[in-house]
Structures are given as structure tokens and as C-alpha cells.
Amino acid sequence: MLELHDAPLAPLTTFRLGGPADRLLTATTDAEVIAAVREADDSGTPLLVIGGGSNLVIGDKGFDGTALRIATKGFELSGTTLELAAGEVWTDAVARTVDAGLAGIECLAGIPGSAGATPIQNVGAYGQEVSSVITEVVAYDRHTRETVTLPNEDCAFSYRHSRFKAEPDRFVVLRVRFALEDAGGQSAPLRYPETARVMGVEQGDRVPAVAARETVLRLRAGKGMVLDPEDHDTWSAGSFFTNPILDEAEHAAFLVRAQERLGADVTPPAFPAGDGRVKTSAAWLIDRAGFTKGYGTGPARISTKHTLALTNRGDATTDDLLALAREVVAGVHEAFGVTLVNEPVTVGVSLWPGAGPQAQ
């Protein structure tokens, strides 16, 4: 297992931000992952688990403890059943399933990060979520000190959330198992309006899975959501804020504020979220509050391609990024009475001043 000391963490994140870790271990087998976690737990050393680094905001002072980079490999496809090691590159795995003629994750193409992170965040985009195809998650349970297999129903999946995210200090994901679909090379039914419109079909239609994947990649690239070292719009964590979910009273108050600000004929985006709740668009809120594409004058700015992405223009610090994020949160709340919540995990810092440091 590779071991480095005073190791830079910024290169391991898509933001390219953050200070060093006291110690960085790179594990290439499940046994090495478990051994590193047990060692940290036995010694009381703070532990930071890193996969693809696409959902991390690490403080400028770095991490006072052991950072564990999971670099395990394993792609096993048997019929329509797929098992991925946690360290597998997610977008590569999606491409391989599409090449095999299988449907279920083709619209999750281009999402940066590792396979092991997908159940933690319940990764979703363009009408698909991994929770709809995950059957089991194999993880190391730090409480019981055992390897456990959690079926889908025990993962507590919800919008950009899961049991793994709710209990960040308990489970370390080792492997993820999926049930895909053999639709004769066709995609799953398209659920996202933009994807269907661009492909010239109706929502619910199927198209060739290869074409669906390629379309999503083009859409994501146009929004700066496909990693490109030369494009600072991709030096981000993708969507920095989750779409707010409002209860009936909150939604009614939001509509009043929106109409007062933008006119009586305005109709903010609204999507059913269950239990009488409504999901609205964080990007819409940010834009209508005055934070348009490219907003900012410092080294951290809103992407020129998508208002949901906060970006490092090359020489930003984490403090620069968080200052911009706080400005956006305050502006949206002042305009619409809605509080945005950050999607990336913060390490050693917090979006909310005075809230104390957070760690994964």
C-alpha cells in the first residue's frame, strides 16, 4: 500500500483545492482498504476516505489525519448483473455497460468520480438515479468491524442522500452491485425532458443506448460538467447546491416572494417530491437572484456554462470558493426565502460560518 506524508490533496479533487494530509494511503484491494480503516480506528486517527474527489471541498489547511484513497479495480458483468469495485472510474464503467448493450445507467455518463461514491450520494442526472438499479452495497462497517452486504431497501435512498451519507463515520463502501436491463441495445425509457427534446422523441420513449449516452455527454460538456483539465469551468464539483425540496407552506411562501420579485405571471419550476412536497430548481433560483453565468471577479466564480457550478479559475483557495458560495446562499435567501444546501462534502471547513469543521 503506497504511503506518503505531508501529501497534497488538491490534485485528488476536481476542484483542485485544499491543503495536504498528514498521511496519504492508496489502497488497491479491499483487504488494504479494511486494514487502513482498522488501523485508523484503533489508533483514534481521523480518517478521510477519498474516491474520485469529485464531491469534496477540503480546507486550505488540509487534513490532520490519514487520508485513504480507494483505488481498487473490478468490473464483473454476468448477464445483466454488474459488480463494480469502489475505485472503478464511474464514467468508464457506464461506457462499458453501454458497449455491452445494457440499459439503466446510460444517462449517468460523464459524471466524474468513483463507483463507490455513487450509492453514498445516490448519484442521479438526466432522469436516472443509481438507487433504481443498485441491488446491494458491500461495505466495511466500522461499528461492528465486519464486512456487510446491504440490500437496496437497507440503504435508505432518497434525493441525493442515503444511509451512507447519513452515517458518514460508519460505512466504507467496497463494492456496488447493479441490476441492469437487456433491452436489445435500447436505452431505458427517457425520463428527462431535455434529453428527449434534443433526441427528437417523447418522454418515455427508448432510443439506442449508445445514442443516449452520447447525447448526455454532449449536454454535460456544454454545461462544463465533463472533466477537461484545460477548461476551468470543469474545475468544480458539478452542481454545488441541491435542488430545494419545499413543503406546502414553504412552497406557497416561495411563490409569493417569486411573484413579488419577478411579476405575477412568473411560474417557478416545480416538480412533485412526494408527501405533498415540491422540488424546485436551484439553478433557477441562483440565476433569478442575480447570480448569472460567469458571476464573480475573483479566482472563484460561477461557471460560464452553468449557474449551479462554482469553479476554481486556476488560483483560487478554498476560502475564495466558500466566500462565493456564502454570497450565493445569502442572495437567494434574501430574494426568495429559500436556503440552498451544498451538495459536496466539506472537510475541515463549513459553508456556514461558526458551525465548526466538518469531515467526511
Side-chain angles (χ1 to χ4, degrees):
M1 185 157 45
L2 180 64
E3 179 174 341
L4 299 173
H5 293 270
D6 195 27
L9 295 181
L12 302 182
T13 74
T14 53
F15 265 123
R16 295 167 173 81
L17 295 176
D22 287 350
R23 181 178 182 229
L24 172 64
L25 301 176
T26 298
T28 58
T29 68
D30 290 353
E32 288 182 349
V33 172
I34 294 169
V37 174
R38 283 179 172 167
E39 179 190 54
D41 289 346
D42 288 344
S43 63
T45 303
L47 179 69
L48 171 63
V49 178
I50 300 176
S54 62
N55 203 45
L56 283 179
V57 177
I58 298 174
D60 293 318
K61 293 182 179 180
F63 184 69
D64 184 15
T66 295
L68 171 62
R69 177 172 173 262
I70 297 182
T72 53
K73 297 296 180 184
F75 179 101
E76 298 180 19
L77 187 60
S78 177
T80 57
T81 300
L82 172 67
E83 179 177 292
L84 295 178
E88 282 289 330
V89 176
W90 174 252
T91 193
D92 293 348
V94 172
R96 292 177 69 176
T97 66
V98 171
D99 289 344
L102 299 178
I105 56 175
E106 63 280 357
C107 291
L108 300 179
I111 294 176
S114 63
T118 60
I120 298 172
Q121 192 72 4
N122 186 17
V123 164
Y126 293 95
Q128 290 183 342
E129 284 185 334
V130 292
S131 59
S132 67
V133 289
I134 287 176
T135 57
E136 295 177 329
V137 176
V138 180
Y140 176 69
D141 186 337
R142 297 169 69 183
H143 289 187
T144 65
R145 299 175 65 86
E146 296 177 335
T147 299
V148 296
T149 300
L150 285 76
N152 182 291
E153 56 269 24
D154 289 346
C155 295
F157 289 123
S158 60
Y159 172 64
R160 300 298 175 271
H161 201 66
S162 69
R163 182 178 181 184
F164 310 104
K165 193 171 183 179
E167 301 180 70
D169 296 324
R170 180 167 183 179
F171 297 104
V172 177
V173 175
L174 301 174
R175 297 185 172 270
V176 189
R177 295 173 180 146
F178 305 82
L180 304 178
E181 179 187 7
D182 184 352
Q186 296 292 98
S187 70
L190 297 180
R191 303 299 183 194
Y192 198 69
E194 183 182 22
T195 313
R197 183 179 68 252
V198 168
M199 300 196 74
V201 298
E202 299 294 324
Q203 280 183 258
D205 286 352
R206 293 178 184 266
V207 297
V210 171
R213 174 180 174 270
E214 291 174 349
T215 298
V216 166
L217 286 173
R218 286 196 299 271
L219 289 171
R220 291 185 63 87
K223 299 172 183 178
M225 297 293 185
V226 176
L227 293 179
D228 179 352
E230 303 303 317
D231 182 0
H232 286 291
D233 277 330
T234 73
W235 289 32
S236 76
S239 299
F240 195 88
F241 300 104
T242 58
N243 289 323
I245 296 178
L246 310 175
D247 62 27
E248 187 175 348
E250 290 168 337
H251 186 238
F254 162 55
L255 290 178
V256 170
R257 294 283 288 270
Q259 290 169 357
E260 288 175 348
R261 181 180 177 89
L262 303 173
D265 59 345
V266 69
T267 305
F271 309 94
D275 299 323
R277 300 177 301 165
V278 174
K279 180 168 67 177
T280 192
S281 166
W284 187 94
L285 289 166
I286 293 167
D287 183 73
R288 300 311 191 278
F291 302 100
T292 53
K293 295 174 184 176
Y295 177 88
T297 58
R301 303 179 195 175
I302 291 178
S303 167
T304 65
K305 300 182 180 73
H306 200 294
T307 53
L308 261 185
L310 307 188
T311 67
N312 171 10
R313 307 316 294 184
D315 56 355
T317 65
T318 300
D319 284 347
D320 293 328
L321 175 75
L322 293 178
L324 175 62
R326 290 169 187 141
E327 183 183 0
V328 172
V329 170
V332 167
H333 189 270
E334 181 180 358
F336 299 111
V338 176
T339 300
L340 295 177
V341 176
N342 53 295
E343 186 167 330
V345 174
T346 55
V347 178
V349 290
S350 173
L351 179 59
W352 314 105
Q358 298 178 10
Q360 187 179 18

